């Protein structure tokens, strides 16, 4: 049985189907439909229809991390799909900010969405099994708060702002006929780290591919080349990236990853 992924929202549009700064991917896996993230607006719902899907047919929804460009479509989803639960890390809250010097900007999930739709949200911890062949895996890499500090990303706590350690980020892992396929829509914890985390979680399985943004739009060529080397060392065979990777970084990655690298865009279909 094959697994099919369709990109619903990404920065790159397709013909008359619009894109935006955000990401949403529909996964058809083991006779179930999983929507991974819901983009930065209600555009995901429009694009689902244009791409031939019915939002009411989605069985599961997952949130990769608690940022607006992946979660702002949540209210629309809840209002139009009556059956699917939304799976988030237990650390998810409306407390994510960009903070640098005197600039402070909220970048989190829609305010009050967790309380308004509490009966639809399932807060998960550890390694979580959605159903046979589909898993949600949180970070297991230490000291990710150093990445939060570098990116000027913080969480607001009762004791003040602290660098984000991305404990609210998770990977959707699908067990396909080609091996494990990881969907992590921004990979704030580091793309190579995520591959290693999943490999350690499933030591008896092959990790075939990683799909999602890599948050490289603001990184130097040296950092991007280092990541490409680290990805190659993991031995995975397929990488598909876009969104917060952007064109410059994609070009640098392409030089080292070659044919194993593909670019995300609205309407892209991937079959495993």
């Amino acid at each position: 049985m094959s697994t099919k992924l369709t990109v619903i929202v990404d920065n790159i549009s397709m013909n008359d189907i619009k894109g935006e700064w955000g990401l949403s991917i529909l996964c058809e896996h083991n006779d179930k439909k999983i929507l991974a993230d819901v983009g930065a607006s209600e555009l995901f719902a429009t694009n689902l229809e244009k791409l031939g899907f019915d939002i009411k047919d989605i069985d599961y929804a997952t949130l990769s991390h608690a940022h607006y460009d992946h979660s702002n479509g949540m209210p629309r989803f809840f209002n139009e799909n009556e059956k699917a639960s939304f799976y988030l890390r237990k650390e998810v809250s409306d407390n994510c900010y960009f903070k640098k010097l005197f600039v402070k900007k909220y970048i989190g999930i829609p305010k009050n969405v967790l309380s308004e739709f509490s009966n639809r949200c399932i807060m998960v911890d550890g390694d979580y099994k959605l159903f046979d062949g589909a898993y949600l895996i949180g970070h297991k890499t230490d000291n990710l708060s150093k990445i939060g500090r570098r990116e000027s990303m913080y969480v607001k706590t009762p004791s003040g702002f602290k660098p984000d350690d991305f404990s609210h980020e998770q990977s959707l892992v699908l067990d396909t006929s080609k091996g494990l396929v990881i969907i992590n829509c921004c990979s704030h914890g580091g793309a190579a780290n995520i591959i290693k985390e999943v490999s350690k979680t499933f030591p008896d399985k092959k990790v075939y591919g990683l799909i999602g943004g890599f948050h490289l739009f603001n990184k130097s060529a040296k950092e991007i080349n280092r990541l490409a080397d680290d990805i190659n060392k993991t031995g995975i065979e397929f990488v598909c990236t876009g969104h917060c990777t952007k064109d410059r970084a994609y070009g640098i990655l392409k030089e080292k990853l070659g044919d194993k690298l593909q670019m995300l865009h609205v309407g892209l279909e991937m079959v495993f």
Side-chain angles (χ1 to χ4, degrees):
M1 183 180 297
S2 64
T3 297
K4 180 182 175 183
L5 274 57
T6 305
V7 179
I8 306 301
V9 171
D10 179 63
N11 305 13
I12 301 175
S13 59
M14 182 185 76
N15 301 325
D16 64 332
I17 306 180
K18 295 180 180 179
E20 66 179 359
W21 181 265
L23 199 57
S24 179
I25 300 173
L26 183 68
C27 311
E28 296 174 89
H29 179 66
N30 290 356
D31 293 326
K32 300 291 185 182
K33 290 183 174 67
I34 311 166
L35 188 63
D37 289 3
V38 287
S41 70
E42 296 186 351
L43 178 65
F44 83 98
T46 301
N47 286 359
L48 275 170
E49 185 176 358
K50 286 186 175 181
L51 289 165
F53 300 104
D54 189 334
I55 194 171
K56 296 181 177 65
D57 292 337
I58 293 169
D59 302 293
Y60 299 84
T62 65
L63 186 68
S64 63
H65 63 295
H67 288 170
Y68 75 95
D69 47 338
H70 299 262
S71 63
N72 271 3
M74 288 176 72
R76 176 73 177 268
F77 180 82
F78 289 130
N79 288 328
E80 294 196 14
N81 178 299
E82 297 180 352
K83 68 175 183 177
S85 294
F86 217 111
Y87 294 78
L88 315 87
R89 283 281 118 185
K90 69 178 180 60
E91 291 83 2
V92 167
S93 183
D94 51 358
N95 63 348
C96 291
Y97 287 81
F98 174 86
K99 192 170 80 71
K100 191 171 185 179
L101 298 176
F102 300 107
V103 176
K104 183 176 69 176
K105 180 182 179 182
Y106 181 69
I107 59 171
I109 63 175
K111 292 283 189 178
N112 303 317
V113 72
L114 296 181
S115 57
E116 186 176 353
F117 298 100
S118 60
N119 62 319
R120 303 285 302 279
C121 295
I122 296 180
M123 316 304 282
V124 305
D125 191 20
D127 301 332
Y128 187 89
K129 180 179 176 180
L130 272 180
F131 55 88
D132 285 343
Y135 309 89
L136 295 171
I137 307 300
H139 283 305
K140 299 172 181 176
T141 304
D142 294 331
N143 300 319
L144 292 182
S145 58
K146 65 183 180 183
I147 296 177
R149 182 179 290 106
R150 183 188 68 202
E151 299 297 326
S152 301
M153 291 180 176
Y154 289 79
V155 292
K156 189 176 183 180
T157 74
S159 56
F161 285 94
K162 294 183 178 180
D164 199 336
D165 64 359
F166 303 107
S167 56
H168 56 85
E169 184 171 68
Q170 62 184 354
S171 297
L172 171 62
V173 180
L174 306 178
D175 193 355
T176 79
S177 59
K178 290 189 175 181
L180 299 178
V181 173
I182 307 166
I183 298 106
N184 191 307
C185 293
C186 263
S187 308
H188 285 291
N193 287 338
I194 289 164
I195 298 167
K196 294 172 187 175
E197 289 170 351
V198 173
S199 293
K200 290 178 181 177
T201 304
F202 301 94
D204 59 336
K205 293 184 180 293
K206 168 187 173 182
V207 178
Y208 174 75
L210 174 64
I211 298 163
F214 294 167
H215 211 265
L216 298 177
F217 70 93
N218 59 353
K219 303 299 187 297
S220 68
K222 182 178 180 180
E223 291 174 292
I224 298 165
N225 274 301
R226 186 186 306 123
L227 175 62
D229 289 337
D230 289 342
I231 290 174
N232 272 328
K233 288 175 185 175
T234 68
I236 67 168
E237 300 174 29
F238 178 78
V239 180
C240 189
T241 191
H243 178 41
C244 52
T245 296
K246 295 202 78 174
D247 293 349
R248 178 186 65 90
Y250 182 87
I252 297 171
L253 290 174
K254 188 69 174 176
E255 292 178 6
K256 290 202 169 185
L257 299 181
D259 291 340
K260 74 172 62 173
L261 182 67
Q262 188 171 351
M263 182 174 279
L264 288 166
H265 63 78
V266 173
L268 175 67
E269 295 180 353
M270 294 165 274
V271 178
F272 305 97

